[in-house]
Amino acid sequence: MGYIADQIKRIKETLPENVNLVAVSKTKPEEAIVEAYGAGQRIFGENKAQELKTKYENLPKDIQWHFIGHLQTNKIKYIAPFVSLIHAVDSMKLLKAINKEAKKNNRVIDCLLQFYVAEEDTKWGMDLSDAREILQSEEFIVLENVRIVGVMGMATYTDDEDQIKKEFSEIKKGFGVLKAVFFQDKSWFKELSMGMSHDYNIAIEEGSTLVRIGTTIFGNR
Ligand SMILES: *Cc1c(COP(=O)(O)O)cnc(C)c1O
């Protein structure tokens, strides 16, 4: 068995049953995805719309493609026909644009709201009050082609495990508030996308349901 297949199997064995693995294949060649697919992996994450479109066209159609990075409104059209989850929605403007492209394709696109908790100002996202404002707005309520299924966030890139834990727990708290206020009876609002190669074990302890792992599976980019 090759390295990639080996890593997929090893990681999957350690994941609790309610946690799904997003194999982050950005910048990696299609052969690498094929090897992971051969090991049973079906969810892949990419962060460039055109690269994702090309991979979608060339690879098996039962792959669920997740868009994990910052999405520009003019790139939505490349992925709207097939994307299964958009992880990092950080504004009403983006949500409206996704809704428009989803409608053209006669689809409802699942999205996560991205929370900003890290101590770095290079990352995109919103805080809890921004999220509440969006979800209670008239503008949001009329959108029929997007569905918010949870939240996503990234912790500060640090060795300080207590800090990472604290940030993930803050994302989870935000998730809990949104669930209680807006989605109490909505079974689909259940995803907490947290954790990358260096911090996914902490994320799982803090309640993650979707871990996004690239380097540990595919090697350095
Ligand atoms: C690249 C990326 C990942 C994967 O990071 P690794 O450290 O390679 O596991 C996860 N989430 C997002 C948003 C990314 O951009």
PDB file of all heavy atoms in Angstrom, residues 107-125:
ATOM      1  N   ARG A 107     -30.033  24.141  -7.799  1.00  0.00           N
ATOM      2  CA  ARG A 107     -29.538  23.379  -6.647  1.00  0.00           C
ATOM      3  C   ARG A 107     -29.701  24.202  -5.370  1.00  0.00           C
ATOM      4  O   ARG A 107     -29.840  25.412  -5.420  1.00  0.00           O
ATOM      5  CB  ARG A 107     -28.029  23.112  -6.763  1.00  0.00           C
ATOM      6  CG  ARG A 107     -27.552  22.426  -7.975  1.00  0.00           C
ATOM      7  CD  ARG A 107     -26.046  22.160  -7.843  1.00  0.00           C
ATOM      8  NE  ARG A 107     -25.762  21.272  -6.705  1.00  0.00           N
ATOM      9  CZ  ARG A 107     -24.637  21.279  -6.003  1.00  0.00           C
ATOM     10  NH1 ARG A 107     -23.682  22.132  -6.282  1.00  0.00           N
ATOM     11  NH2 ARG A 107     -24.451  20.435  -5.014  1.00  0.00           N
ATOM     12  N   VAL A 108     -29.598  23.496  -4.249  1.00  0.00           N
ATOM     13  CA  VAL A 108     -29.400  24.148  -2.957  1.00  0.00           C
ATOM     14  C   VAL A 108     -27.978  23.801  -2.532  1.00  0.00           C
ATOM     15  O   VAL A 108     -27.614  22.625  -2.469  1.00  0.00           O
ATOM     16  CB  VAL A 108     -30.409  23.646  -1.902  1.00  0.00           C
ATOM     17  CG1 VAL A 108     -30.088  24.240  -0.536  1.00  0.00           C
ATOM     18  CG2 VAL A 108     -31.832  23.992  -2.325  1.00  0.00           C
ATOM     19  N   ILE A 109     -27.163  24.804  -2.267  1.00  0.00           N
ATOM     20  CA  ILE A 109     -25.769  24.553  -1.878  1.00  0.00           C
ATOM     21  C   ILE A 109     -25.606  24.714  -0.366  1.00  0.00           C
ATOM     22  O   ILE A 109     -25.991  25.735   0.206  1.00  0.00           O
ATOM     23  CB  ILE A 109     -24.803  25.497  -2.630  1.00  0.00           C
ATOM     24  CG1 ILE A 109     -24.860  25.208  -4.140  1.00  0.00           C
ATOM     25  CG2 ILE A 109     -23.370  25.324  -2.111  1.00  0.00           C
ATOM     26  CD1 ILE A 109     -23.925  26.065  -4.992  1.00  0.00           C
ATOM     27  N   ASP A 110     -25.047  23.673   0.248  1.00  0.00           N
ATOM     28  CA  ASP A 110     -24.771  23.711   1.687  1.00  0.00           C
ATOM     29  C   ASP A 110     -23.538  24.567   1.965  1.00  0.00           C
ATOM     30  O   ASP A 110     -22.542  24.488   1.242  1.00  0.00           O
ATOM     31  CB  ASP A 110     -24.529  22.288   2.218  1.00  0.00           C
ATOM     32  CG  ASP A 110     -25.830  21.501   2.355  1.00  0.00           C
ATOM     33  OD1 ASP A 110     -26.918  22.112   2.237  1.00  0.00           O
ATOM     34  OD2 ASP A 110     -25.748  20.278   2.575  1.00  0.00           O
ATOM     35  N   CYS A 111     -23.635  25.362   3.024  1.00  0.00           N
ATOM     36  CA  CYS A 111     -22.547  26.288   3.389  1.00  0.00           C
ATOM     37  C   CYS A 111     -22.322  26.278   4.897  1.00  0.00           C
ATOM     38  O   CYS A 111     -23.227  25.985   5.665  1.00  0.00           O
ATOM     39  CB  CYS A 111     -22.932  27.733   3.010  1.00  0.00           C
ATOM     40  SG  CYS A 111     -23.183  28.017   1.259  1.00  0.00           S
ATOM     41  N   LEU A 112     -21.103  26.640   5.286  1.00  0.00           N
ATOM     42  CA  LEU A 112     -20.778  26.879   6.694  1.00  0.00           C
ATOM     43  C   LEU A 112     -20.413  28.345   6.849  1.00  0.00           C
ATOM     44  O   LEU A 112     -19.787  28.925   5.963  1.00  0.00           O
ATOM     45  CB  LEU A 112     -19.576  26.022   7.119  1.00  0.00           C
ATOM     46  CG  LEU A 112     -19.676  24.514   6.905  1.00  0.00           C
ATOM     47  CD1 LEU A 112     -18.353  23.832   7.297  1.00  0.00           C
ATOM     48  CD2 LEU A 112     -20.823  23.923   7.716  1.00  0.00           C
ATOM     49  N   LEU A 113     -20.781  28.920   7.982  1.00  0.00           N
ATOM     50  CA  LEU A 113     -20.332  30.284   8.276  1.00  0.00           C
ATOM     51  C   LEU A 113     -18.963  30.201   8.945  1.00  0.00           C
ATOM     52  O   LEU A 113     -18.748  29.389   9.840  1.00  0.00           O
ATOM     53  CB  LEU A 113     -21.320  30.980   9.216  1.00  0.00           C
ATOM     54  CG  LEU A 113     -22.724  31.216   8.664  1.00  0.00           C
ATOM     55  CD1 LEU A 113     -23.587  31.921   9.713  1.00  0.00           C
ATOM     56  CD2 LEU A 113     -22.695  32.033   7.369  1.00  0.00           C
ATOM     57  N   GLN A 114     -18.039  31.017   8.488  1.00  0.00           N
ATOM     58  CA  GLN A 114     -16.686  30.989   9.054  1.00  0.00           C
ATOM     59  C   GLN A 114     -16.550  31.969  10.215  1.00  0.00           C
ATOM     60  O   GLN A 114     -16.720  33.170  10.062  1.00  0.00           O
ATOM     61  CB  GLN A 114     -15.640  31.327   7.986  1.00  0.00           C
ATOM     62  CG  GLN A 114     -14.233  31.297   8.558  1.00  0.00           C
ATOM     63  CD  GLN A 114     -13.146  31.493   7.532  1.00  0.00           C
ATOM     64  OE1 GLN A 114     -13.417  31.864   6.387  1.00  0.00           O
ATOM     65  NE2 GLN A 114     -11.911  31.241   7.919  1.00  0.00           N
ATOM     66  N   PHE A 115     -16.198  31.409  11.376  1.00  0.00           N
ATOM     67  CA  PHE A 115     -15.920  32.244  12.545  1.00  0.00           C
ATOM     68  C   PHE A 115     -14.448  32.603  12.585  1.00  0.00           C
ATOM     69  O   PHE A 115     -13.593  31.768  12.319  1.00  0.00           O
ATOM     70  CB  PHE A 115     -16.269  31.508  13.840  1.00  0.00           C
ATOM     71  CG  PHE A 115     -17.726  31.577  14.201  1.00  0.00           C
ATOM     72  CD1 PHE A 115     -18.360  30.479  14.748  1.00  0.00           C
ATOM     73  CD2 PHE A 115     -18.448  32.732  14.008  1.00  0.00           C
ATOM     74  CE1 PHE A 115     -19.700  30.528  15.100  1.00  0.00           C
ATOM     75  CE2 PHE A 115     -19.787  32.801  14.356  1.00  0.00           C
ATOM     76  CZ  PHE A 115     -20.408  31.686  14.908  1.00  0.00           C
ATOM     77  N   TYR A 116     -14.190  33.827  12.969  1.00  0.00           N
ATOM     78  CA  TYR A 116     -12.825  34.285  13.145  1.00  0.00           C
ATOM     79  C   TYR A 116     -12.516  34.307  14.633  1.00  0.00           C
ATOM     80  O   TYR A 116     -13.131  35.046  15.384  1.00  0.00           O
ATOM     81  CB  TYR A 116     -12.691  35.685  12.550  1.00  0.00           C
ATOM     82  CG  TYR A 116     -11.369  36.316  12.853  1.00  0.00           C
ATOM     83  CD1 TYR A 116     -10.282  36.063  12.042  1.00  0.00           C
ATOM     84  CD2 TYR A 116     -11.209  37.135  13.962  1.00  0.00           C
ATOM     85  CE1 TYR A 116      -9.055  36.618  12.327  1.00  0.00           C
ATOM     86  CE2 TYR A 116      -9.986  37.693  14.254  1.00  0.00           C
ATOM     87  CZ  TYR A 116      -8.907  37.424  13.425  1.00  0.00           C
ATOM     88  OH  TYR A 116      -7.696  37.969  13.725  1.00  0.00           O
ATOM     89  N   VAL A 117     -11.561  33.468  15.069  1.00  0.00           N
ATOM     90  CA  VAL A 117     -11.190  33.463  16.490  1.00  0.00           C
ATOM     91  C   VAL A 117      -9.684  33.589  16.706  1.00  0.00           C
ATOM     92  O   VAL A 117      -9.235  33.892  17.801  1.00  0.00           O
ATOM     93  CB  VAL A 117     -11.670  32.180  17.218  1.00  0.00           C
ATOM     94  CG1 VAL A 117     -13.184  32.151  17.297  1.00  0.00           C
ATOM     95  CG2 VAL A 117     -11.124  30.929  16.562  1.00  0.00           C
ATOM     96  N   ALA A 118      -8.911  33.348  15.643  1.00  0.00           N
ATOM     97  CA  ALA A 118      -7.453  33.288  15.797  1.00  0.00           C
ATOM     98  C   ALA A 118      -6.873  34.660  16.107  1.00  0.00           C
ATOM     99  O   ALA A 118      -7.489  35.696  15.846  1.00  0.00           O
ATOM    100  CB  ALA A 118      -6.814  32.722  14.539  1.00  0.00           C
ATOM    101  N   GLU A 119      -5.668  34.630  16.658  1.00  0.00           N
ATOM    102  CA  GLU A 119      -4.969  35.872  16.983  1.00  0.00           C
ATOM    103  C   GLU A 119      -4.160  36.382  15.796  1.00  0.00           C
ATOM    104  O   GLU A 119      -3.124  36.973  15.965  1.00  0.00           O
ATOM    105  CB  GLU A 119      -4.003  35.625  18.139  1.00  0.00           C
ATOM    106  CG  GLU A 119      -4.589  35.962  19.481  1.00  0.00           C
ATOM    107  CD  GLU A 119      -3.618  35.662  20.592  1.00  0.00           C
ATOM    108  OE1 GLU A 119      -2.406  35.553  20.323  1.00  0.00           O
ATOM    109  OE2 GLU A 119      -4.085  35.526  21.735  1.00  0.00           O
ATOM    110  N   GLU A 120      -4.593  36.051  14.589  1.00  0.00           N
ATOM    111  CA  GLU A 120      -3.852  36.480  13.408  1.00  0.00           C
ATOM    112  C   GLU A 120      -4.828  37.303  12.593  1.00  0.00           C
ATOM    113  O   GLU A 120      -5.996  36.964  12.501  1.00  0.00           O
ATOM    114  CB  GLU A 120      -3.402  35.253  12.592  1.00  0.00           C
ATOM    115  CG  GLU A 120      -2.377  34.423  13.337  1.00  0.00           C
ATOM    116  CD  GLU A 120      -2.398  32.954  12.917  1.00  0.00           C
ATOM    117  OE1 GLU A 120      -3.012  32.628  11.895  1.00  0.00           O
ATOM    118  OE2 GLU A 120      -1.807  32.152  13.639  1.00  0.00           O
ATOM    119  N   ASP A 121      -4.354  38.381  11.987  1.00  0.00           N
ATOM    120  CA  ASP A 121      -5.330  39.181  11.253  1.00  0.00           C
ATOM    121  C   ASP A 121      -5.313  38.886   9.759  1.00  0.00           C
ATOM    122  O   ASP A 121      -5.841  39.623   8.956  1.00  0.00           O
ATOM    123  CB  ASP A 121      -5.180  40.672  11.545  1.00  0.00           C
ATOM    124  CG  ASP A 121      -3.766  41.148  11.396  1.00  0.00           C
ATOM    125  OD1 ASP A 121      -2.997  40.447  10.713  1.00  0.00           O
ATOM    126  OD2 ASP A 121      -3.420  42.187  11.941  1.00  0.00           O
ATOM    127  N   THR A 122      -4.702  37.753   9.384  1.00  0.00           N
ATOM    128  CA  THR A 122      -4.670  37.373   7.972  1.00  0.00           C
ATOM    129  C   THR A 122      -5.840  36.473   7.604  1.00  0.00           C
ATOM    130  O   THR A 122      -6.010  36.118   6.458  1.00  0.00           O
ATOM    131  CB  THR A 122      -3.379  36.618   7.645  1.00  0.00           C
ATOM    132  OG1 THR A 122      -3.254  35.551   8.568  1.00  0.00           O
ATOM    133  CG2 THR A 122      -2.178  37.523   7.725  1.00  0.00           C
ATOM    134  N   LYS A 123      -6.629  36.054   8.608  1.00  0.00           N
ATOM    135  CA  LYS A 123      -7.677  35.087   8.298  1.00  0.00           C
ATOM    136  C   LYS A 123      -9.043  35.744   8.153  1.00  0.00           C
ATOM    137  O   LYS A 123      -9.352  36.728   8.797  1.00  0.00           O
ATOM    138  CB  LYS A 123      -7.683  33.987   9.350  1.00  0.00           C
ATOM    139  CG  LYS A 123      -6.459  33.107   9.159  1.00  0.00           C
ATOM    140  CD  LYS A 123      -6.407  31.949  10.123  1.00  0.00           C
ATOM    141  CE  LYS A 123      -5.131  31.154   9.869  1.00  0.00           C
ATOM    142  NZ  LYS A 123      -4.613  30.510  11.048  1.00  0.00           N
ATOM    143  N   TRP A 124      -9.859  35.136   7.295  1.00  0.00           N
ATOM    144  CA  TRP A 124     -11.182  35.674   7.013  1.00  0.00           C
ATOM    145  C   TRP A 124     -12.170  35.154   8.034  1.00  0.00           C
ATOM    146  O   TRP A 124     -11.934  34.160   8.670  1.00  0.00           O
ATOM    147  CB  TRP A 124     -11.630  35.236   5.609  1.00  0.00           C
ATOM    148  CG  TRP A 124     -10.647  35.503   4.530  1.00  0.00           C
ATOM    149  CD1 TRP A 124      -9.605  34.694   4.169  1.00  0.00           C
ATOM    150  CD2 TRP A 124     -10.578  36.636   3.665  1.00  0.00           C
ATOM    151  NE1 TRP A 124      -8.918  35.271   3.132  1.00  0.00           N
ATOM    152  CE2 TRP A 124      -9.490  36.447   2.796  1.00  0.00           C
ATOM    153  CE3 TRP A 124     -11.369  37.786   3.546  1.00  0.00           C
ATOM    154  CZ2 TRP A 124      -9.153  37.374   1.814  1.00  0.00           C
ATOM    155  CZ3 TRP A 124     -11.032  38.702   2.559  1.00  0.00           C
ATOM    156  CH2 TRP A 124      -9.931  38.496   1.713  1.00  0.00           C
ATOM    157  N   GLY A 125     -13.283  35.819   8.142  1.00  0.00           N
ATOM    158  CA  GLY A 125     -14.320  35.290   9.008  1.00  0.00           C
ATOM    159  C   GLY A 125     -15.155  36.359   9.675  1.00  0.00           C
ATOM    160  O   GLY A 125     -14.985  37.540   9.432  1.00  0.00           O
TER     161      GLY A 125
END
